[in-house]
Amino acid sequence: KAGVTQTPRYLIKTRGQQVTLSCSPISGHRSVSWYQQTPGQGLQFLFEYFSETQRNKGNFPGRFSGRQFSNSRSEMNVSTLELGDSALYLCASTKRDRAGDMNTEAFFGQGTRLTVV
Amino acid sequence: DAKTTQPNSMESNEEEPVHLPCNHSTISGTDYIHWYRQLPSQGPEYVIHGLTSNVNNRMASLAIAEDRKSSTLILHRATLRDAAVYYCILGTSYGKLTFGQGTILTVHP
């Protein structure tokens, strides 16, 4: 079956712009989580959506937002881009039967490499 | 958030077993212990997870201490393809995997 698909794979934006990243989870998975990976901070949790509702949010400013659609596809948006937002953004989908269940494995996409200049 | 502590790096020879340790002394009773690995330029890949009992799958084994304050990921026969960063993670709340710095595993031919 198809894995997690993230688009685009690479993106270059200018400071002050906004960006939208897309994630298509594995069919049947209702949970999508987003992570930011940088050399200095490692992998950091951004937020998680389950059945179109944000269930958890990491310690990121309000410029980072997301949403999930009825088909479980998710988007994350970063407004007013800063140089420090340059990172690999990873999406993970999980087959949770109920929100909050951590007795599952997450499937990660290849990520979107965002460069802010 | 509960944290995990892992050695920065470990080395192994091909076809030998590898034991990757992890300490998680502040783990709570409902936290699952997850292991993921990441190869360069790829997203993390699930390896194994467990709660209290030892777990085995086709990739690895997970040995969990009786007090759950530490665990060990066991790769039974390391291959060059197992060279990666291995993350020991506590699954603590809604969808959140808290990654640490991980252990860089080098496998020598």
Side-chain angles (χ1 to χ4, degrees), chain B residues 37 39 59 75 77-86 105-107:
Chain B
R37 70 183 185 182
L39 279 67
M59 288 182 70
L75 306 179
R77 289 183 64 197
T79 69
L80 296 178
R81 292 170 53 185
D82 291 324
V85 180
Y86 284 79
L105 175 64
T106 302
V107 181

Side-chain angles (χ1 to χ4, degrees), chain A residues 38-56:
Chain A
T38 59
Q41 298 297 318
L43 276 148
Q44 293 186 287
F45 172 79
L46 280 157
F47 28 65
E48 193 247 8
Y49 287 87
F50 180 85
S51 294
E52 301 179 66
T53 300
Q54 187 181 90
R55 304 286 178 163
N56 202 351

Side-chain angles (χ1 to χ4, degrees), chain A residues 13-25:
Chain A
K13 289 287 188 178
T14 304
R15 268 185 307 173
Q17 287 187 312
Q18 75 165 15
V19 67
T20 299
L21 311 181
S22 179
C23 172
S24 293

